[in-house]
Amino acid sequence: MSRPDVVVCGAGVAGLAAACALGRLGQRVLVLEKQSVPAPVAKGEVLQPGSLAILDEWGVTERLEAAGAMRLSRLVARDSDGSPRMVLDYSRLPAAQPWLLAHDYQAILDALTDALPPGVEVRRGVRVREPLRSGGRVTGVRCDDGDIPAALLVAADGVSSRLRTAAGLSAERHDYPHRLAAFELHDVDEIEPDFSAYVADDGLRLHYPLPGRRVRLYVQVAPDELRGVGQDGLGAWADRVLDGCAGLAPLAAAFRAGLARRQVLPVSRSMANTLVAPGIALVGESGHSVHPMAAQGMNSAIADAHGLATMVRQGGTLAAGVLDHALRRYDEARRADLAHIGRTSHNAARMITTQSWAGRRALSGTGANDRIRHEVMHTMSGLGVRKLTPLDRLHQIGLVPDPRATRLPSWVRPAEAREPAR
């Protein structure tokens, strides 16, 4: 591709989604990725209904289902013994695909790659140095092997985005005081098709099924809790985790067998001061990030790609003035939603990862309030933001009774409409 219309930097979910969305507009898109081979990482494996609606348009959902993706019917916050405290029943959503879909991160990347239009090219092993500039706008990128001009540069290079910094944009980052140890458990039978988060005395435990009788398990840990721990120490640590969360008992043998395959992941949240500058747009974690327990990061990136392509399509051309107007509209629309999603995700994380009185009361209050629970589910599903009022917050923690607590929103589907999980 000698002269692309769009250069996308980063071939993760955000970058491939942006390439797919913009390529479907007829734009010539070049994707540059510094890694020659994708690194295995335990993240981004659960897709929300709002994302599935977008991916269905691109032919990605069908590819994932054919590859054995798992349908998860509920998102459940549980006590340490496994008792449900808050249940989000996705079958009640007004969606064509009212469920979560889980598969390996690499399988999701493969499905997106297979769905790329003919006008998209992916080059791996390419190091991008900096944006090209002319007249106060970004006009392409400089790589190790030369300059590549383009009308639009899409930065999808992650939470520590060099392109974001080089373009003069910033993203305030807040690190959580804990990390997540991720485990892939094998040969697991008879686990409910749920996304389950346990409220244990020493933090979050979260799991969901993956294809092939596997389960992804996350355990909240202190930053240095597993540093330098030997095999014997790991066994004693696993015993403490299981003793503190009886709900994990069915996974005990698989958990102990999978200790050596752990990954310890840092956890943070961030939001860019703006997602755009003349000639450049941020998508995915280059522009924003949230706590992974809310299952929003990858889904927000897909919504970014769809929203960016929508504004570019409405502009009708990549001429500088028209494109920059489209970028400003993308920024205005997305940051409003992302700010609310970020707050919702942060509040959900605090409910489960901390021992605060307000967090625990809010979790129980949300679980007992049909109206608020369904509004929260609608926002988390990616089908549209449903904002809670300050009064709703008081209802959540039980300081003010809610006379509307049993009134379901008009969009809620009948309980008997549940689709079978796979």
Side-chain angles (χ1 to χ4, degrees):
M1 190 177 293
S2 59
R3 182 65 186 259
D5 301 310
V6 180
V7 171
V8 177
C9 295
V13 164
L16 292 176
C20 193
L22 293 165
R24 288 169 59 86
L25 301 181
Q27 307 295 343
R28 293 171 298 172
V29 181
L30 175 61
V31 182
L32 304 177
E33 169 57 50
K34 67 179 180 180
Q35 294 180 336
S36 298
V37 178
V41 62
K43 72 168 190 178
E45 296 167 325
V46 177
L47 293 160
Q48 298 275 0
S51 296
L52 295 178
I54 295 170
L55 296 177
D56 202 43
E57 294 180 19
W58 302 345
V60 175
T61 304
E62 182 180 1
R63 287 176 167 85
L64 286 171
E65 295 260 37
M70 302 284 295
R71 292 182 183 178
L72 312 182
S73 56
R74 304 187 305 171
L75 191 157
V76 187
R78 301 178 182 274
D79 285 323
S80 60
D81 64 359
S83 302
R85 184 180 290 192
M86 180 184 73
V87 178
L88 303 185
D89 183 351
Y90 274 62
S91 70
R92 311 295 300 276
L93 287 166
Q97 296 164 313
W99 51 75
L100 300 154
L101 200 65
H103 212 322
D104 302 273
Y105 185 69
Q106 185 58 51
I108 296 171
L109 294 182
D110 291 343
L112 280 165
T113 301
D114 291 343
L116 291 174
V120 177
E121 177 185 343
V122 180
R123 294 184 195 168
R124 294 190 173 275
V126 178
R127 179 181 172 84
V128 173
R129 290 193 170 274
E130 60 185 354
L132 298 176
R133 293 178 176 277
S134 177
R137 63 179 293 106
V138 172
T139 57
V141 290
R142 175 162 292 140
C143 306
D144 282 346
D145 54 354
D147 294 350
I148 305 176
L152 173 61
L153 175 62
V154 178
D157 53 339
V159 68
S160 300
S161 172
R162 296 175 61 189
L163 290 174
R164 180 188 65 223
T165 302
L169 308 180
S170 63
E172 186 175 4
R173 178 173 171 175
H174 303 274
D175 293 326
Y176 286 93
H178 61 266
R179 297 192 175 189
L180 292 180
F183 302 87
E184 183 177 290
L185 312 185
H186 293 196
D187 301 321
V188 177
D189 292 315
E190 297 183 5
I191 184 171
E192 290 188 80
D194 295 339
F195 184 101
S196 290
Y198 295 82
V199 184
D201 288 341
D202 47 356
L204 167 72
R205 283 85 175 96
L206 185 155
H207 67 66
Y208 50 84
L210 290 169
R213 298 171 57 214
R214 293 175 298 133
V215 168
R216 176 68 67 210
L217 171 67
Y218 293 98
V219 177
Q220 179 179 331
V221 295
D224 296 322
E225 186 171 333
L226 295 178
R227 189 186 298 268
V229 177
Q231 191 60 39
D232 290 342
L234 278 176
W237 174 82
D239 289 341
R240 291 194 297 272
V241 170
L242 293 167
D243 289 344
C245 189
L248 296 181
L251 302 176
F255 176 39
R256 292 191 177 93
L259 290 173
R261 295 189 295 270
R262 69 188 181 279
Q263 296 183 49
V264 179
L265 310 173
V267 186
S268 64
R269 58 188 175 95
S270 63
M271 184 67 199
N273 61 327
T274 175
L275 299 174
V276 302
I280 184 172
L282 310 181
V283 296
E285 290 188 330
S286 65
H288 51 86
S289 62
V290 297
H291 196 290
M293 72 135 289
Q296 294 298 308
M298 177 174 61
N299 294 276
S300 294
I302 293 168
D304 289 349
H306 185 264
L308 176 61
T310 297
M311 297 308 179
V312 170
R313 176 179 56 79
Q314 291 175 357
T317 174
L318 295 182
V322 176
L323 174 61
D324 289 346
H325 177 68
L327 294 181
R328 289 192 296 270
R329 293 177 62 218
Y330 160 70
D331 176 65
E332 181 180 358
R334 285 302 296 151
R335 278 204 303 135
D337 281 355
L338 288 168
H340 183 75
I341 291 168
R343 286 192 298 271
T344 300
S345 299
H346 179 56
N347 290 337
R350 287 194 303 170
M351 287 180 190
I352 296 183
T353 63
T354 71
Q355 294 290 327
S356 72
W357 172 87
R360 298 302 173 91
R361 287 290 296 269
L363 181 62
S364 297
T366 302
N369 188 308
D370 291 341
R371 178 183 63 84
I372 292 178
R373 186 175 70 252
H374 282 83
E375 298 288 33
V376 168
M377 179 171 62
H378 196 278
T379 295
M380 295 185 69
S381 72
L383 297 178
V385 168
R386 314 287 289 200
K387 294 184 178 181
L388 300 183
T389 67
L391 181 58
D392 289 333
R393 301 295 184 190
L394 296 177
H395 293 326
Q396 282 183 299
I397 60 177
L399 292 182
V400 177
D402 184 3
R404 300 178 296 155
T406 59
R407 297 182 191 174
L408 296 180
S410 60
W411 52 261
V412 176
R413 300 171 69 193
E416 60 270 18
R418 173 187 289 275
E419 296 277 352
R422 293 183 181 178

